[in-house]
Amino acid sequence: MSDDKPVQTRLWRIAPQGRYQLAVHGGAGGRIHELADQERHAFEDGLSRAYAAGETVLADGGTATDAVCAAICVLEDDPLFNAGRGASLAADGSAELDAAIMDGAGHAGAVAASRHARNPVRLARQVMRRSPHVLIAAPDVELINSWGEQTADQRYFVTDSRRRQLAHLHADDADGPRHGTVGAVARDSTGGLAAATSTGGIANQSVGRVGDTPIIGAGTYARNGLAAISCTGHGEAFMLCVVSYDIVARLRYLGVDLADAVSATIETELSGKDSSGGLVAVGADGTVVVAHNSPMMFAAFDQDHRLVTLT
Ligand code: ASP
């Protein structure tokens, strides 16, 4: 699948600016010419709205955790992205969603193969706040209700365009293109870090398959004083290479800077193993790094007080 082939890594390093920092991504994957202009603008619009939602929280003095959750909810509600409503479908036509959130103080929550929570990232946050666990698989309606979160049925999540995509993939016996997984990282005005990621996984994936997104240290990781990271890409490779923790370990044990840690992990753990994807990261000093070795990636970040949406 051409989507899986890494290209030369592209990396943006944004020097610390302002009281808080935020970066949002909308997935890494195939080639830009696969998207019509209109669709590309719709992706950019979704990312801008998500960025604005997260930024409002931070500007009001809210926490990095609340900011990343707010940003992700916008994208889960937007049917264009591969998360929440409009997510990629598993081989049987159902939406099984994964999400995780982690704060830099060492708390994390995640859900895998979630079929009922309207906003999987909010449920992940409840796992973090209200349960003694980190990851809950196939959370049931009773649990979701007991935590006061909204449920939705499969008709809400499954869109016509995802049904058509799945039918094409069945006809070709193929895996789908991967873009549209969503993630966010933030550093709030107290220096607290957080990361969150949400996805429907890979179109036409086996029922019950869980990717890197809800695996702490693989697709999502945060640690105050070091960095917060949200990944997107070939989930199996990100799990096997423990990508987000690998970056943090380089900061922690080698003392390198964030951009060097990100590029070293991508080069050695992903490109070196012929896997592609991307990530957004924020360091303890507020440096933001956006990088991918996939042909394209959607991301939004603040550069010189200007919102840049990258495709
Ligand atoms: N990493 C996600 C997964 O493997 C997919 C993606 O980011 O596009 O489930």
Side-chain angles (χ1 to χ4, degrees):
M1 195 171 67
S2 69
D3 252 1
D4 276 328
K5 290 286 163 232
V7 298
Q8 187 167 11
T9 303
R10 270 166 276 179
L11 185 142
W12 288 258
R13 181 187 184 282
I14 300 98
Q17 48 191 342
R19 287 185 300 120
Y20 52 79
Q21 292 79 30
L22 174 70
V24 178
H25 75 74
R31 293 170 194 281
I32 194 73
H33 67 249
E34 289 168 5
L35 292 178
D37 268 1
Q38 214 181 358
E39 204 181 2
R40 181 181 163 166
H41 292 141
F43 270 103
E44 288 172 349
D45 178 56
L47 283 174
S48 307
R49 284 186 292 106
Y51 189 94
E55 189 174 29
T56 300
V57 173
L58 293 168
D60 287 350
T63 64
T65 309
D66 286 343
V68 293
C69 192
I72 299 287
C73 281
V74 169
L75 299 172
E76 286 182 340
D77 293 345
D78 184 333
L80 197 59
F81 290 86
N82 177 15
R85 177 166 153 71
S88 294
L89 304 178
D92 69 348
S94 65
E96 289 198 332
L97 311 175
D98 298 339
I101 190 163
M102 183 166 189
D103 72 25
H107 310 109
V111 292
S114 168
R115 299 169 73 104
H116 309 292
R118 187 180 173 105
N119 286 107
V121 73
R122 288 181 57 97
L123 193 64
R125 188 171 59 172
Q126 296 288 24
V127 173
M128 174 169 85
R129 287 186 174 162
R130 300 210 195 200
S131 86
H133 310 304
V134 170
L135 171 62
I136 294 186
D140 62 20
V141 169
E142 204 183 325
L143 180 74
I144 299 164
N145 286 336
S146 75
W147 283 340
E149 290 299 329
Q150 273 188 287
T151 56
D153 65 26
Q154 284 281 311
R155 276 171 306 179
Y156 168 77
F157 297 110
V158 178
T159 59
D160 285 344
S161 95
R162 290 297 186 182
R163 269 205 206 92
R164 284 196 297 275
Q165 179 189 47
L166 188 64
H168 286 136
L169 295 171
H170 281 167
D172 291 347
D173 193 21
D175 287 339
R178 297 185 327 252
H179 23 64
T181 286
V182 305
V185 292
R187 178 182 174 278
D188 61 36
S189 51
T190 70
L193 301 179
T197 318
S198 182
T199 189
I202 295 174
N204 203 24
Q205 67 184 11
S206 300
V207 173
R209 179 257 181 194
V210 174
D212 60 312
T213 297
I215 307 299
I216 299 303
T220 309
Y221 195 74
R223 187 159 179 143
N224 286 346
L226 293 168
I229 298 160
S230 169
C231 301
T232 171
H234 180 203
E236 280 68 13
F238 278 72
M239 282 190 273
L240 291 169
C241 302
V242 205
V243 167
S244 57
Y245 188 72
D246 189 75
I247 293 166
V248 168
R250 287 175 197 274
L251 300 175
R252 191 171 174 196
Y253 301 120
L254 301 179
V256 297
D257 84 1
L258 184 60
D260 287 345
V262 166
S263 62
T265 295
I266 293 180
E267 286 313 314
T268 58
E269 301 303 317
L270 294 174
S271 307
K273 295 185 177 106
D274 215 21
S275 296
S276 79
L279 58 93
V280 291
V282 62
D285 69 349
T287 299
V288 168
V289 171
V290 178
H292 62 103
N293 72 343
S294 51
M296 60 176 279
M297 177 170 173
F298 293 110
F301 48 90
D302 182 357
Q303 189 160 36
D304 304 327
H305 304 295
R306 190 170 59 90
L307 181 66
V308 176
T309 52
L310 167 79
T311 48

